[in-house]
């Protein structure tokens, strides 16, 4: 287990390094300087600007100072908003995006597992049918389409929830719903499938024979084992939610990191693009690392294996 | 109970059996091939068949309707902007007076093209890479799988967005960007299958008859991996369609005045709370229906092509 964690840790560092390098060279492969704009600037000013952003140095030393900036976590100033550093953008936007992401994951996992379990317990019943119809529709509706439809219906026609920004719990309902429906549908389907399989196992029959209440059987025996496939897809789901925040924040005008990221893409603000990309990737890769570890801890077979190897 | 000592044993009991008329060897029903059997089971799945028919219809209409439509995809008609659906404009018009009906079908072309091309390229690279990795095994496999592991850890859409920032946005760029990281899943599946099948007896038999590597891959391995590959393809297409719409929605995909469903949804965003519901509704409906059709077809194929479920 310890070896595995160490191996995964180094792979994580390697992945971040690859992304950082890829980002750097891609950004520098673009013809022209990021300082070129429609306005013609004074050559002296241009030279000073290039010096400020270290664009006058050779590529190799730029790369090294870039790597240094990643290690020290200082991505320098933005080009389009010179008074603002990339760090302050991330510092301001990330907590909001993180909040949106976490609420989304909570909603998606809890409702997905409940829905999937109910569907499995009432296999081929009305609940099963409704839940799976809902799940297929949820998977087929892209989050940005769902978001616009939700605004149209619940903010426009009915006026129940505010259509934009991020201030109160009421503001959080529509963005969370738009972002969580897809993952929830995936989790519900997975939970149902693995739950159906687990429910036929001998240890469930055994638990029934012991006279345990259905509630105890489900929670203590069935659900715990049925959760394994759900944990496996948490990684891809996190990536989906993370990229989902880009569009959701754009649509709902939420001042999170995704909004700045999309803005920086449209403005070609390279330091911001590089900084946010590296930050996003590092965050995502770290989350994947955590998911893998959690999986190792949860998987009973790994524990069993350790006990077998235990000399005592 | 019968007392066996009292049974009289007759000679005629021991006559030779009448000669077989030869009918025992006749096959009553033609044996179903794997594909015929899969097709039979797919046909029983009504939802999957609905998906299949819908996609065939979508494909034909996407080719034909923009060809014969009396409205142009890009021509603007400013006096007629934001007109509600009517006999003249079935799905209404957008802020430039362009016909939403024609643009929606043109968008179907783009979406299907991106989805199918991405899936095709993924399959080609995935089969070659996964096939070599799985067939060669050993050190080659180890190195190739390490590369895949690293690629798999990269955040897919972030890499695509980065590539699109650098390259000129166009249809080709989107397809390249989507396939650069997209083939990894397919390669993993092909490798897993090849790894399993190459140890089966019929492959050994083929080898003992002197079949070369290429022949074994072509005749033994590929046909037997086709099931999972097709299932994976039906999942790749909708995710590519989603990615294209997503990127166009962010302004990184197809550029105006050309239409894709993502572009149309993005254009409709500023007027979302005004009365122009048709501008969002039709592209949204088409994206959702297409994704739905691919998803149910994929589910149906997964069940139909799984040899374990063969009844």
């Amino acid at each position: 287990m310890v070896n595995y964690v160490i191996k995964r840790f180094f792979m994580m560092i390697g992945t971040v390094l690859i992304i950082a390098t890829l980002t750097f060279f891609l950004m520098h492969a673009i013809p022209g300087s990021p300082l070129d704009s429609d306005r013609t600037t004074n050559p002296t000013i241009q030279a000073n600007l290039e010096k400020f952003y270290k664009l006058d140095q050779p590529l190799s030393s730029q790369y090294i100072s870039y790597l240094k900036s990643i290690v020290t976590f200082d991505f320098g100033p933005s080009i389009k908003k010179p008074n603002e550093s990339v760090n302050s953008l991330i510092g301001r936007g990330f907590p909001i995006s993180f909040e949106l992401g976490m609420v989304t994951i909570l909603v998606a996992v809890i409702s997905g597992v409940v829905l999937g379990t109910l569907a499995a317990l009432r296999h081929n019943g009305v609940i099963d049918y409704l839940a799976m119809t809902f799940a297929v529709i949820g998977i087929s509706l892209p989050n940005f389409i769902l978001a616009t439809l939700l605004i149209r219906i619940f903010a426009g026609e009915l006026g129940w929830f505010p259509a934009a920004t991020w201030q109160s719990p009421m503001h959080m309902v529509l963005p969370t719903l738009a972002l969580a429906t897809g993952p929830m549908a995936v989790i519900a389907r997975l939970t149902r499938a693995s739950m159906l399989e687990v429910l036929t196992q001998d240890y469930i029959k055994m638990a029934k024979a012991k006279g345990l209440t259905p509630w105890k059987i489900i929670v203590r025996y069935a659900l715990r084992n049925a959760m394994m496939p759900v944990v496996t897809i948490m990684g891809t789901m996190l990536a989906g939610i993370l990229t989902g925040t880009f569009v959701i924040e754009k649509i709902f005008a939420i001042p999170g990191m995704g909004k700045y990221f999309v803005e920086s893409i449209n403005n070609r603000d390279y330091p911001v693009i590089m900084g946010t990309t590296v930050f996003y990737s590092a965050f995502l890769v770290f989350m994947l690392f955590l998911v893998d570890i959690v999986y190792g801890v949860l998987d009973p077979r790994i524990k069993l294996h350790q006990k077998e190897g235990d000399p005592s | 109970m019968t007392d066996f000592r009292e049974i009289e044993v007759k000679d005629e009991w021991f006559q030779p059996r009448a000669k077989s008329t030869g009918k025992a060897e006749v096959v009553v029903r033609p044996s179903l091939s794997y594909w015929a059997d899969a097709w039979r089971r797919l046909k029983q799945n009504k939802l999957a068949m609905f998906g299949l028919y819908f996609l065939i219809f979508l494909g034909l209409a996407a080719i034909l309707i923009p060809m014969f439509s009396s409205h142009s995809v890009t021509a603007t008609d400013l006096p007629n902007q934001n007109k509600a659906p009517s006999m003249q404009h079935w799905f209404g018009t957008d802020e430039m007076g362009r016909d939403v009906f024609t643009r929606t079908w043109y968008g179907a072309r783009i979406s299907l093209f991106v989805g199918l091309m991405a899936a095709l390229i993924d399959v080609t690279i995935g089969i070659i890479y996964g096939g070599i990795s799985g067939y060669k095994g050993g050190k080659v496999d180890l190195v190739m799988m390490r590369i895949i592991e690293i690629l798999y850890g990269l955040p897919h859409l972030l890499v695509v967005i980065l590539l699109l920032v650098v390259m000129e946005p166009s249809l080709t760029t989107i397809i390249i960007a989507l396939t650069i990281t997209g083939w990894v899943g397919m390669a993993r599946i092909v490798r897993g299958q090849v790894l399993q099948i190459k140890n089966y007896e019929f492959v050994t038999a083929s080898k003992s008859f002197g079949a070369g590597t290429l022949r074994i891959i072509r005749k033994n391995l590929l046909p037997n991996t086709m099931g999972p590959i097709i299932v994976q393809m039906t999942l790749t297409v909708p995710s590519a369609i989603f990615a294209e719409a997503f990127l166009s929605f962010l302004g990184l995909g197809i550029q105006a005045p050309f239409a894709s469903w993502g572009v149309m949804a993005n254009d409709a965003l500023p007027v979302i709370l005004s009365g122009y519901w048709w501008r969002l509704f039709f592209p949204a409906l088409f994206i959702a229906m297409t994704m739905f059709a691919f998803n149910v077809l994929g589910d149906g194929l997964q069940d139909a092509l799984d040899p374990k479920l063969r009844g």
Side-chain angles (χ1 to χ4, degrees):
Chain A
M1 188 68 193
V2 177
N3 278 338
Y4 176 70
V5 172
I6 292 170
K7 192 191 137 207
R8 281 290 287 110
F9 183 77
F10 279 105
M11 269 190 72
M12 177 172 89
I13 304 278
T15 311
V16 174
L17 196 69
I18 289 172
I19 294 170
T21 310
L22 193 75
T23 315
F24 179 82
F25 286 104
L26 277 176
M27 289 299 124
H28 285 265
I30 304 169
S33 153
L35 294 173
D36 290 343
S37 61
D38 308 328
R39 299 166 288 158
T40 43
T41 36
N42 185 319
T44 334
I45 295 176
Q46 187 79 19
N48 278 334
L49 276 175
E50 280 187 1
K51 201 168 179 186
F52 182 63
Y53 290 108
K54 293 181 186 143
L55 289 169
D56 53 341
Q57 294 170 10
L59 203 61
S60 56
S61 63
Q62 277 189 54
Y63 179 61
I64 288 168
S65 65
Y66 166 72
L67 286 186
K68 259 187 216 153
S69 75
I70 292 174
V71 175
T72 55
F73 206 80
D74 175 18
F75 297 111
S78 153
I79 283 187
K80 302 287 160 167
K81 297 176 187 160
N83 300 327
E84 188 123 50
S85 74
V86 180
N87 280 16
S88 74
L89 279 182
I90 294 177
R92 199 143 32 92
F94 181 68
I96 298 175
S97 298
F98 188 74
E99 195 178 14
L100 172 62
M102 283 303 135
V103 175
T104 301
I105 289 174
L106 270 181
V107 170
V109 170
I110 293 174
S111 48
V113 167
V114 169
L115 209 62
T117 310
L118 285 177
L121 292 179
R122 299 275 178 276
H123 188 202
N124 289 334
V126 180
I127 295 180
D128 187 17
Y129 185 73
L130 285 179
M132 286 309 109
T133 313
F134 175 73
V136 177
I137 293 172
I139 289 171
S140 305
L141 263 180
N143 45 26
F144 60 94
I145 294 290
L146 185 62
T148 41
L149 291 177
L150 286 175
I151 292 182
R152 174 90 209 151
I153 297 167
F154 291 104
E157 309 280 335
L158 300 170
W160 290 355
F161 300 103
T165 70
W166 188 256
Q167 287 151 11
S168 69
M170 284 300 267
H171 287 85
M172 292 162 71
V173 175
L174 293 185
T176 310
L177 212 58
L179 201 51
T181 302
M184 172 168 73
V186 175
I187 292 178
R189 271 163 60 117
L190 259 181
T191 308
R192 173 180 175 272
S194 65
M195 197 70 175
L196 283 177
E197 206 181 308
V198 166
L199 285 177
T200 62
Q201 300 286 323
D202 286 342
Y203 56 82
I204 297 292
K205 271 184 214 150
M206 173 70 191
K208 274 183 196 159
K210 265 166 65 181
L212 291 184
T213 56
W215 173 254
K216 256 192 182 162
I217 297 175
I218 300 300
V219 174
R220 196 185 285 172
Y221 297 95
L223 208 54
R224 196 175 157 192
N225 290 290
M227 279 328 336
M228 296 316 294
V230 177
V231 178
T232 333
I233 59 132
M234 280 301 275
T236 15
M237 232 184 59
L238 280 172
I241 289 176
L242 189 130
T243 40
T245 57
F246 302 167
V247 277
I248 296 299
E249 286 175 11
K250 179 189 167 184
I251 295 170
F252 288 95
I254 296 169
M257 218 175 120
K259 188 169 159 281
Y260 295 126
F261 182 61
V262 174
E263 266 177 25
S264 72
I265 289 171
N266 291 332
N267 297 333
R268 300 289 191 266
D269 193 342
Y270 297 119
V272 180
I273 298 180
M274 288 202 275
T276 40
T277 308
V278 171
F279 183 82
Y280 268 131
S281 325
F283 178 72
L284 192 62
V285 170
F286 179 65
M287 292 305 265
L288 292 182
F289 172 72
L290 283 187
V291 167
D292 266 15
I293 305 252
V294 167
Y295 188 74
V297 172
L298 278 184
D299 194 343
R301 275 165 303 180
I302 290 181
K303 269 186 200 156
L304 203 72
H305 185 73
Q306 265 182 343
K307 263 183 199 153
E308 272 171 8
D310 203 341
S312 57
Chain B
M1 274 281 271
T2 327
D3 190 342
F4 288 102
R5 279 165 300 183
E6 286 173 16
I7 294 177
E8 187 188 344
V9 179
K10 294 171 185 158
D11 274 351
E12 64 251 39
W13 287 3
F14 295 94
Q15 293 300 312
R17 190 170 168 263
K19 274 252 166 70
S20 158
T21 44
K23 278 206 172 139
E25 299 283 311
V26 170
V27 181
V28 184
R29 270 168 294 172
S31 76
L32 282 175
S33 74
Y34 174 59
W35 295 108
D37 186 48
W39 173 240
R40 184 183 61 82
R41 260 181 297 134
L42 186 67
K43 269 196 292 193
Q44 287 167 357
N45 187 336
K46 289 205 184 77
L47 211 53
M49 287 312 280
F50 164 77
L52 184 65
Y53 290 136
F54 177 80
L55 290 174
I56 293 171
F57 163 73
L58 191 76
L60 288 177
I63 295 168
L64 295 176
I65 288 178
M67 272 166 81
F68 294 109
S69 171
S70 51
H71 300 284
S72 150
V73 178
T74 53
T76 53
D77 178 15
L78 287 174
N80 274 322
Q81 50 177 279
N82 290 326
K83 282 269 153 54
S86 61
M87 284 310 286
Q88 180 70 27
H89 299 285
W90 289 359
F91 289 179
T93 62
D94 67 4
E95 84 281 6
M96 306 285 253
R98 292 173 295 214
D99 182 47
V100 175
F101 182 74
T102 315
R103 285 174 74 75
T104 304
W105 288 107
Y106 189 83
R109 264 189 193 185
I110 304 264
S111 286
L112 289 178
F113 182 72
V114 169
L116 293 176
M117 280 308 283
L120 219 62
I121 297 173
D122 278 2
V123 167
T124 315
I125 304 177
I127 286 182
I128 295 173
Y129 193 98
I132 293 175
S133 179
Y135 191 74
K136 289 278 178 196
K139 276 197 184 121
V140 177
D141 183 40
L142 203 72
V143 172
M144 287 177 98
M145 277 302 111
R146 274 292 115 75
I147 294 173
I148 280 206
E149 249 172 64
I150 291 167
L151 281 176
Y152 208 72
L154 297 180
H156 179 64
L157 264 177
L158 266 181
V159 175
V160 173
I161 288 174
L162 268 186
L163 286 170
L164 286 176
V165 169
V166 177
M167 299 189 281
E168 284 288 302
S170 77
L171 208 55
T172 329
T173 332
I174 288 191
I175 294 173
I176 292 174
L178 284 180
T179 45
I180 267 183
T181 51
W183 58 272
V184 175
M186 186 67 83
R188 277 182 140 190
I189 287 175
V190 175
R191 178 209 171 239
Q193 287 285 310
V194 168
L195 216 55
Q196 198 183 359
I197 295 169
K198 74 170 181 185
N199 292 323
Y200 284 168
E201 283 85 352
F202 67 89
V203 179
T204 321
S206 212
K207 264 187 203 156
S208 68
F209 282 134
T213 307
L214 265 180
R215 190 182 161 81
I216 287 176
I217 290 176
R218 205 158 36 94
K219 287 278 175 189
N220 298 141
L221 300 182
L222 273 188
N224 287 295
T225 47
M226 258 358 240
I229 288 176
I230 287 175
V231 171
Q232 175 71 12
M233 265 181 93
T234 49
L235 299 175
T236 307
V237 177
S239 69
I241 289 176
F242 167 75
E244 185 276 321
F246 180 90
L247 295 165
S248 296
F249 189 76
L250 283 182
L252 284 168
I254 310 296
Q255 299 294 302
F258 291 103
S260 105
W261 294 335
V263 171
M264 292 170 74
N266 191 19
D267 286 348
L269 192 55
V271 294
I272 182 172
L273 289 176
S274 58
Y276 312 138
W277 56 270
W278 57 90
R279 295 206 23 211
L280 180 67
F281 178 74
F282 290 109
L285 180 74
F286 273 74
I287 297 180
M289 285 290 284
T290 310
M291 302 270 290
F292 178 77
F294 271 110
N295 280 328
V296 291
L297 180 62
D299 279 357
L301 280 173
Q302 194 152 28
D303 291 344
L305 290 171
D306 189 349
K308 274 183 283 179
L309 292 175
R310 210 172 166 184

